[in-house]
């Protein structure tokens, strides 16, 4: 009988399980214990059960986290393993983001059989995606393109594409890499054209704020630069009240003790875009994020995201 030291809560998709196993391996190495002593518990979330509508219509990002957070609050798990881009900016009382694993590639990939670049997509081609950010950026760059809803995990979206439900789709490079599916990518899209979602490519670890021992364990595998970058990005998003209801993009990069950031807000139809850039000391990461968010909130004005 294996003695369980820590319990990780995760969604059950292949990508979520890959992220949980990565966390398990890092913690086991840090603590010098067998990986089996860190249990992975699969928790079904509302977001996994709703497949036929955009999440923006049924509650937004929290649909992928609230059941895991409830298990944390109830003491059923010790660490929630999440994709940072799924995390609401306001956490339940008593919970905290204790650490982040080193970030993967933040970019988006185009998957379009026989097509070598986004510019080569034929006039009027159909792009399948569930992300309003991606829809808005597609429309901004190519108003001629059509978009359709593609929900489901990475494998489901690839299957829908193979079935001809769309001519192309966009997926995070990080997820494709973690699943060993990067060969499906037709092209990696530049950040300049397709700025990623806040937190994209970063795995975050959520704990109870009063669980000092678990917090210390997580601190041992926390990646400083990722933590700082995502902290800035989330501060930016919080000012804009961002969720998957609103087309918002943002990415911060840490270089030693300096940090730089670019953020965007877009009309859902891509017809208008506002941009903010910031650079400064990592000590001011949160303040820089808030400042960029306040600039874009003022530029957009009331009702910017209405249509």
């Amino acid at each position: 009988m294996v003695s369980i030291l820590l319990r990780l809560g995760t969604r059950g998709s292949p990508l979520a399980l890959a992220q949980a196993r990565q966390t398990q391996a890092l913690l086991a190495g840090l603590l010098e214990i067998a990986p089996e002593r860190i249990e992975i518990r699969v928790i079904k979330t509302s977001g996994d059960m709703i497949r036929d509508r955009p999440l923006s219509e049924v509650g937004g990002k929290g649909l992928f986290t609230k059941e895991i957070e409830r298990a944390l609050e109830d003491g059923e798990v010790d660490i929630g393993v999440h994709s940072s881009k799924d995390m609401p900016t306001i956490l339940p009382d008593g919970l905290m983001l204790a650490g982040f694993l080193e970030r993967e590639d933040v970019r988006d990939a185009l998957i379009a059989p026989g097509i070598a670049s986004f510019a080569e997509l034929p006039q009027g081609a159909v792009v399948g995606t569930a992300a309003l950010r991606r829809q808005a950026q597609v429309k901004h760059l190519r108003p001629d393109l059509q978009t359709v809803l593609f929900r489901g995990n990475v494998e489901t979206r690839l299957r829908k594409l193979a079935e001809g439900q769309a001519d192309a789709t966009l997926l995070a490079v990080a997820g494709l890499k973690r699943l060993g599916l990067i060969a499906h990518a037709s092209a990696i899209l530049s950040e300049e054209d397709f700025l990623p979602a806040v937190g994209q490519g970063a795995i975050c670890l959520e704990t109870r704020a009063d669980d000092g021992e678990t917090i210390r364990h997580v601190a041992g595998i926390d990646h400083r630069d990722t933590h700082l970058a995502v902290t800035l990005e989330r501060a930016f998003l919080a000012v804009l009240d961002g969720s998957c209801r609103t087309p918002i993009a943002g990415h911060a990069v840490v270089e030693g003790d300096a940090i730089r950031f670019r953020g965007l807000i877009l009309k859902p139809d891509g017809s208008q875009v506002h941009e903010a850039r910031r650079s400064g000391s990592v000590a001011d990461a949160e303040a820089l994020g808030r400042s960029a968010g306040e600039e874009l909130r003022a530029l957009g004005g009331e009702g910017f995201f209405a249509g």
Side-chain angles (χ1 to χ4, degrees), residues 144-163:
D144 62 289
L145 298 179
Q146 307 299 310
T147 58
V148 296
L149 178 68
F150 256 29
R151 283 291 319 282
N153 61 35
V154 170
E155 294 84 353
T156 298
R157 297 184 203 197
L158 291 173
R159 174 180 54 76
K160 289 179 177 180
L161 185 64
E163 291 171 352

Side-chain angles (χ1 to χ4, degrees), residues 116-136:
S117 71
F118 184 77
E120 288 184 24
L121 286 170
Q123 186 84 5
V126 177
V127 179
T129 178
L132 290 186
R133 172 191 63 87
R134 288 180 177 136
Q135 291 175 25

Side-chain angles (χ1 to χ4, degrees), residues 144-279:
D144 62 289
L145 298 179
Q146 307 299 310
T147 58
V148 296
L149 178 68
F150 256 29
R151 283 291 319 282
N153 61 35
V154 170
E155 294 84 353
T156 298
R157 297 184 203 197
L158 291 173
R159 174 180 54 76
K160 289 179 177 180
L161 185 64
E163 291 171 352
Q165 295 184 33
D167 300 304
T169 190
L170 300 171
L171 292 170
V173 170
L176 291 170
K177 283 188 172 182
R178 288 177 180 136
L179 290 168
L181 296 173
I182 193 62
H184 286 273
S186 305
I188 308 300
L189 304 175
S190 75
E191 285 181 58
E192 195 59 36
D193 289 337
F194 273 85
L195 195 65
V198 163
Q200 186 156 311
I203 297 166
C204 65
L205 306 178
E206 188 176 23
T207 65
R208 291 180 293 278
D210 62 359
D211 186 355
E213 186 175 10
T214 299
I215 291 168
R216 285 191 294 275
H217 294 330
V218 171
I221 61 170
D222 181 42
H223 187 257
R224 168 194 178 266
D225 289 2
T226 303
H227 199 142
L228 288 164
V230 179
T231 295
L232 188 159
E233 293 169 17
R234 285 175 56 78
F236 164 76
L237 193 65
V239 169
L240 295 167
D241 193 26
S243 72
C244 57
R245 298 180 183 85
T246 51
I248 299 169
H251 180 223
V253 177
V254 175
E255 295 163 333
D257 290 327
I259 192 166
R260 55 183 169 83
F261 173 75
R262 177 176 173 235
L264 296 177
I265 57 173
L266 304 96
K267 279 278 193 181
D269 65 0
S271 61
Q272 289 184 47
V273 179
H274 293 294
E275 174 180 317
R277 293 180 186 261
R278 291 290 185 277
S279 60

Side-chain angles (χ1 to χ4, degrees), residues 9-26:
T10 177
R11 295 168 58 200
S13 72
L15 178 56
L17 289 171
Q19 295 178 167
R21 285 192 291 269
Q22 183 180 347
T23 305
Q24 179 191 49
L26 287 169

Side-chain angles (χ1 to χ4, degrees), residues 38-84:
I38 300 172
E39 182 183 10
I40 294 175
R41 291 195 180 181
V42 173
I43 297 168
K44 201 167 188 71
T45 71
S46 303
D48 296 312
M49 293 180 267
I50 299 167
R51 296 292 180 86
D52 59 342
R53 287 163 287 166
L55 292 180
S56 56
E57 293 181 4
V58 286
K61 289 186 179 185
L63 293 171
F64 283 130
T65 61
K66 64 181 181 181
E67 284 84 3
I68 296 172
E69 289 176 328
R70 193 171 300 130
L72 267 172
E73 291 170 327
D74 293 345
E76 295 171 11
V77 298
D78 305 298
I79 300 171
V81 182
H82 307 283
S83 293
S84 295

